[in-house]
Amino acid sequence: MTDRLPPLTALRAFDAAARHMSFQDAAGELNVTPAALSFQIKSLEEHLGAPLFHRLNRRVELTEAGIALAPQTTEGFQTLTAGWRAAKRVLDSGILTVTAGPAFTAKWLAPRLFHFAQGHPEVELRFAATLRTLDFATDDVDIAIRFGPTETATDPKLHEALRIAEWVTPMMHPDLAARFPTPASLRDATIIFDDSIAFLRSSVSWEDWFAACGIEAGDLHGPRFSQADHAIDAAQAGAGVVMGRVSLAEAALRQGQLVAPFEVALVPRADFRVLCPKGAETRPNTRAFLDWLRGELQRMEDHTKGRRMIMAQ
């Protein structure tokens, strides 16, 4: 037995067959005939000096040697793929991929993108709007905007470009403001519940806000939303009063589509972090996007004026 590695084509055939547990399906994935795939696996077994599959009547099973080889082979090809994608991202200077949550993408990024497009027509922006934490190495992502607890340490392999603060306060359509002029009057309003940040240890609930105002909340009723932007949209439509997140409602507040008339605001122990792999912040497109993002934050209207900001417990 030798440590000399077999051809990559044979290892690729084995990896596909081990994942599918089918020579037919593996051949389809690799766009080769089943006979060609079987030949590659046979050559791999000859190189190893032992069978990797039990050939049964209508299926295959991994042998003990195959079970030992399969996970390492899959991991190896994943690593090669990640390296290849990373090299392509360095060379493909016209594309920049940003990932952020769906609500932040829809409410904060999308309305402002024309500013970036006007200043950088050479850059093709792509957005991956998902709550899943994408991996920079395997998911073709250049910049990530992630929301989470403030005290969580940033991965040392990542560059933290900036943070975006968050706070919440009751927000409503302007037509509702006259009907509910005081914090106490909101107990009679239709309350819109945003459950999207319930995972935070700090509490920024309606009950907490009423308590900060020195008022008993009472029995609150209204629709519940799992997505923050849906809750904001409902409030904009006049369906009720939402404990709105300023990061998502800033444009609506600035344009007068929503109002936040009360001085008390709660600050969760969480914020947005803008991240990229260390060293990537110097790439022209990444640097251009980060500079644009800083400029947009500076241009944002300061909705904290006249408010009493209370840190959530």
Side-chain angles (χ1 to χ4, degrees):
M1 188 176 294
T2 175
D3 287 337
R4 181 174 58 85
L5 288 176
L8 282 178
T9 51
L11 286 170
R12 173 62 86 184
F14 168 75
D15 172 58
R19 285 187 284 104
H20 288 285
M21 282 299 165
S22 164
F23 284 11
Q24 184 81 29
D25 293 345
E29 176 186 315
L30 300 178
N31 199 28
V32 299
T33 66
L37 182 126
S38 181
F39 175 80
Q40 290 290 345
I41 292 175
K42 189 66 177 175
S43 69
L44 187 64
E45 292 174 323
E46 291 174 355
H47 190 98
L48 179 66
L52 293 166
F53 290 96
H54 295 299
R55 276 81 165 173
L56 305 177
N57 188 22
R58 292 187 177 181
R59 59 191 176 90
V60 295
E61 289 182 353
L62 289 169
T63 65
E64 187 176 354
I67 291 172
L69 179 61
Q72 308 299 331
T73 304
T74 299
E75 182 179 346
F77 279 110
Q78 287 175 344
T79 301
L80 284 171
T81 301
W84 182 252
R85 287 175 174 173
K88 288 180 66 179
R89 282 202 304 275
V90 171
L91 296 174
D92 195 355
S93 59
I95 298 174
L96 188 73
T97 302
V98 179
T99 180
F104 190 84
T105 301
K107 292 296 186 183
W108 202 99
L109 287 171
R112 295 173 165 83
L113 285 182
F114 70 96
H115 290 149
F116 184 83
Q118 285 179 332
H120 301 277
E122 76 284 358
V123 179
E124 179 184 332
L125 273 180
R126 296 180 181 177
F127 287 92
T130 177
L131 294 176
R132 186 168 65 89
T133 301
L134 299 186
D135 187 273
F136 286 101
T138 60
D139 291 312
D140 289 339
V141 172
D142 298 294
I143 296 172
I145 303 175
R146 295 173 178 164
F147 183 72
T150 305
E151 68 272 15
T152 302
T154 298
D155 186 328
K157 298 190 296 293
L158 301 181
H159 170 74
E160 183 181 305
L162 67 152
R163 294 196 180 198
I164 304 173
E166 181 70 288
W167 51 269
V168 302
T169 194
M171 300 179 188
M172 66 193 84
H173 190 278
D175 290 347
L176 290 181
R179 292 173 53 192
F180 304 106
T182 66
S185 68
L186 291 182
R187 291 178 296 185
D188 298 322
T190 298
I191 297 299
I192 297 172
F193 294 92
D194 171 14
D195 294 333
S196 66
I197 54 175
F199 71 94
L200 294 174
R201 287 193 294 273
S202 59
S203 184
V204 288
S205 68
W206 274 101
E207 289 76 12
D208 295 299
W209 184 81
F210 277 113
C213 295
I215 300 169
E216 186 73 31
D219 192 13
L220 303 176
H221 296 284
R224 308 191 78 95
F225 291 88
S226 62
Q227 298 293 329
D229 54 334
H230 297 169
I232 293 290
D233 288 342
Q236 267 185 252
V241 185
V242 68
M243 187 62 64
R245 296 168 56 182
V246 70
S247 64
L248 309 181
E250 193 277 334
L253 291 171
R254 176 166 31 87
Q255 295 164 8
Q257 297 166 340
L258 286 176
V259 294
F262 306 116
E263 68 171 1
V264 173
L266 300 179
V267 182
R269 297 182 183 275
D271 53 19
F272 291 91
R273 300 183 192 194
V274 183
L275 307 167
C276 65
K278 277 191 175 175
E281 70 275 11
T282 62
R283 295 175 188 165
N285 290 346
T286 301
R287 185 173 64 246
F289 185 83
L290 294 177
D291 288 344
W292 167 80
L293 199 58
R294 293 186 186 96
E296 289 298 311
L297 289 172
Q298 290 173 356
R299 280 191 288 272
M300 280 177 59
E301 187 175 326
D302 185 4
H303 298 285
T304 64
K305 292 178 179 178
R307 297 196 192 278
R308 185 157 55 94
M309 311 297 286
I310 299 175
M311 184 67 67
Q313 299 302 311

